[in-house]
Amino acid sequence: MVDNPIQELPADEAWKLLGSKQLGRLAVSVGGQPDIFPVNYYSDEGRIVFRSAEGTKLSELVVNEHVAFEVDEYTDDGGWSVVAKGTARVLSRGDEIAEADTLPLTPWVPTIKYNYVEISVGDITARRFEFGPEPERYPV
């Protein structure tokens, strides 16, 4: 049995893990209805940036800017998960879009995505997990 199978990680390690991946999940909620979208992204300096075409995801961000973002990884032995919460906004100024155009961020799906969305992260947490057999649920 593992003594401590869940380890909370400091924020700097959470950012490092977040930066090590390119695919995450964006969680939004509008009218009490949650929604989640896989997106490829770039992260640095307290923010997450992704591109989006017009549609549900973009519409929901405009209605409710409060979002959560999750990325994870696992193997047979363990894994980790990072959850970032913050506010999302569509970049609209020319200088912001020009800067975003320089990021290593291209769509994975062959579609035109003119919109850049930036999540300003206010809270980030991370956990590392060590997998193993379930402990005895009803010890005698």
Side-chain angles (χ1 to χ4, degrees):
M1 179 168 79
V2 177
D3 287 337
N4 188 11
I6 303 172
Q7 176 188 11
E8 292 188 26
L9 304 174
D12 62 331
E13 191 164 351
W15 280 106
K16 183 178 175 182
L17 291 170
L18 184 67
S20 73
K21 297 295 169 195
Q22 296 176 348
L23 181 68
R25 293 160 203 86
L26 173 71
V28 298
S29 181
V30 174
Q33 295 298 312
D35 220 339
I36 193 159
F37 303 93
V39 296
N40 65 303
Y41 69 95
Y42 174 80
S43 66
D44 73 347
E45 302 176 15
R47 68 182 184 152
I48 299 165
V49 180
F50 63 91
R51 291 172 64 181
S52 178
E54 302 291 329
T56 305
K57 180 185 340 143
L58 206 57
S59 298
E60 290 183 6
L61 290 172
V62 172
V63 172
N64 182 0
E65 66 182 5
H66 301 284
V67 300
F69 191 85
E70 193 272 345
V71 64
D72 56 45
E73 180 178 79
Y74 68 93
T75 66
D76 289 340
D77 300 321
W80 55 263
S81 173
V82 174
V83 175
K85 297 177 184 175
T87 55
R89 68 182 183 91
V90 178
L91 300 183
S92 59
R93 292 193 338 245
D95 62 322
E96 293 175 320
I97 294 167
E99 188 272 330
D101 276 337
T102 68
L103 298 176
L105 183 60
T106 56
W108 284 6
V109 178
T111 58
I112 300 295
K113 296 183 179 182
Y114 290 111
N115 303 290
Y116 284 99
V117 176
E118 177 184 83
I119 301 170
S120 296
V121 177
D123 182 51
I124 189 166
T125 58
R127 294 187 172 131
R128 187 173 306 281
F129 309 103
E130 186 176 339
F131 298 160
E134 180 181 19
E136 178 64 40
R137 291 178 66 196
Y138 305 107
V140 180

